[in-house]
Amino acid sequence: VQTHLPAKLINGGIAGIVGVTCVFPIDLVKTRLQNQRQGQQVYKNMMDCLVKTVRSEGFFGMYRGAAVNLTLVTPEKAIKLAANDFFRQHLNKNGKGLTVFKEMLAGCGAGMCQVIITTPMEMLKIQLQDAGRLAAQQRKPAIMSTTKLVAANTVLSRSYNVGPSSAVRAVSATQIARELLHTKGIQGLYKGLGATLMRDVPFSVVYFPLFAHLNRLGQPSQDEAAPFYWAFLSGCLAGSTAAVAVNPCDVVKTRLQSLNKGVTEESYNGVVDCVRKIMHKEGPSAFLKGAGCRALVIAPLFGIAQVMYFIGIGEFILDQSPLNYLFV
């Protein structure tokens, strides 16, 4: 059954909002763990990071940057899911079904479309998520003195500089966006676009075909849909597999998009320079930092997305809406 595009957008949007609310604290941990350098560890592991974050920043400290995600996850998920379906339909004009290569091609197209939203969303989110780590690092006397944090941009540094005893000064995504646009123009928001493409295109290439095949295994017959729990499990498994597969690209993206560095943390001049410096100073294992967290974030996100599609909440909302006749 063909789903109307507005219904797909609603399903994707609701799935994104529910998913982000559930897993955002783990995403925050992932960003902080990925940005840690050897010899400057503030957090030992995922649980240690969660406990320290709650202790120093309170419960809502775990949701720093969540507003950006909740605002932009709807268009991002909507673009990704709708683009994948659009490309699949166009590549399947003869109705004979898609080869694995064509499925990967559709995923590739979806990944390329979504970075329009993903790059600025991640850019703003990472600054907010990492501010607490920088403050905690600064409070740790063994690591460094009370010197102010070195910022990649002097204007932005105003938003983050914290004294050794002060709490993290709140800063909004709107402030960061405004200052980035003012100082660097639109490309300021799209810093790390190459790394985001390197992460999201392979992710979609792996995820969509893998999900389609796993879901097919649960279909009782050719004409029947796979059961509810199977759609969820397929989404979780495909999502976590794809997430771990592209984790090295995610580490590079996080490092490139972090405008603020600790006093001894190096800066990078693009993807190649970043890969070379991480490899040289931290070794290949650094590229798997936060992989477990990322799998835990992505699995439920995509599981929930597939369940929303399965239940058909978007279709239900449109059926009840007076605007329904516009989309028929």
Side-chain angles (χ1 to χ4, degrees):
V1 181
Q2 290 301 323
T3 314
H4 290 307
L5 182 62
K8 279 177 191 160
L9 301 187
I10 293 168
N11 285 334
I14 293 171
I17 289 166
V18 173
V20 166
T21 307
C22 295
V23 300
F24 194 83
I26 307 171
D27 188 60
L28 177 126
V29 169
K30 180 214 70 147
T31 298
R32 291 187 178 184
L33 290 177
Q34 285 181 341
N35 262 334
Q36 284 194 141
R37 312 302 202 266
Q38 269 181 336
Q40 293 176 261
Q41 275 94 338
V42 179
Y43 313 109
K44 295 187 192 80
N45 50 41
M46 183 171 78
M47 281 314 297
D48 183 52
C49 184
L50 280 172
V51 169
K52 283 178 178 169
T53 301
V54 173
R55 210 174 278 161
S56 61
E57 298 168 57
F59 175 78
F60 289 106
M62 293 192 298
Y63 281 88
R64 283 178 71 87
V68 186
N69 254 34
L70 289 170
T71 308
L72 295 177
V73 77
T74 305
E76 187 239 9
K77 281 277 169 290
I79 287 173
K80 185 179 194 138
L81 294 166
N84 183 61
D85 283 343
F86 172 80
F87 288 121
R88 283 178 80 94
Q89 280 171 24
H90 275 265
L91 289 166
N92 189 24
K93 281 184 174 168
N94 57 8
K96 289 179 183 173
L98 292 172
T99 60
V100 175
F101 175 72
K102 282 188 173 179
E103 286 183 335
M104 291 169 92
L105 214 56
C108 176
M112 289 180 85
C113 290
Q114 79 173 84
V115 294
I116 299 163
I117 304 273
T118 313
T119 309
M121 174 177 87
E122 296 266 324
M123 181 74 191
L124 297 173
K125 182 194 77 171
I126 283 170
Q127 313 318 314
L128 296 166
Q129 285 182 330
D130 206 37
R133 179 189 70 89
L134 292 167
Q137 194 184 74
Q138 199 184 25
R139 284 194 296 269
K140 210 171 176 183
I143 290 179
M144 58 188 71
S145 67
T146 58
T147 318
K148 290 286 185 195
L149 298 177
V150 175
N153 181 297
T154 49
V155 183
L156 277 165
S157 68
R158 291 204 308 269
S159 313
Y160 300 99
N161 280 353
V162 285
S165 58
S166 67
V168 180
R169 191 186 302 170
V171 58
S172 73
T174 320
Q175 279 173 274
I176 301 171
R178 201 178 293 133
E179 289 178 344
L180 270 172
L181 286 168
H182 178 67
T183 54
K184 297 189 176 180
I186 193 78
Q187 69 258 44
L189 282 175
Y190 280 88
K191 188 180 181 187
L193 176 66
T196 309
L197 273 167
M198 270 173 55
R199 181 196 69 168
D200 289 349
V201 171
F203 179 92
S204 296
V205 165
V206 173
Y207 173 77
F208 285 112
L210 186 55
F211 171 75
H213 284 270
L214 288 171
N215 203 39
R216 219 170 285 141
L217 294 174
Q219 289 178 322
S221 70
Q222 199 77 38
D223 305 320
E224 288 180 81
F228 170 82
Y229 69 89
W230 194 271
F232 177 76
L233 290 174
S234 298
C236 286
L237 187 59
S240 53
T241 305
V244 173
V246 301
N247 197 74
C249 302
D250 193 52
V251 172
V252 171
K253 186 192 73 63
T254 301
R255 295 280 180 96
L256 285 174
Q257 289 188 321
S258 297
L259 295 170
N260 289 44
K261 314 284 183 194
V263 173
T264 59
E265 289 173 6
E266 69 285 307
S267 296
Y268 307 105
N269 303 313
V271 174
V272 178
D273 181 54
C274 183
V275 171
R276 196 173 60 244
K277 283 181 178 170
I278 293 174
M279 200 73 174
H280 176 65
K281 293 188 178 178
E282 300 168 64
S285 62
F287 291 107
L288 288 174
K289 280 184 179 180
C293 293
R294 191 157 153 73
L296 285 173
V297 168
I298 297 291
L301 265 182
F302 280 87
I304 291 164
Q306 296 306 337
V307 167
M308 292 298 167
Y309 264 66
F310 185 88
I311 297 170
I313 286 180
E315 290 82 346
F316 174 77
I317 291 170
L318 285 177
D319 284 344
Q320 308 304 311
S321 164
L323 298 172
N324 184 36
Y325 68 90
L326 290 175
F327 303 122
V328 177

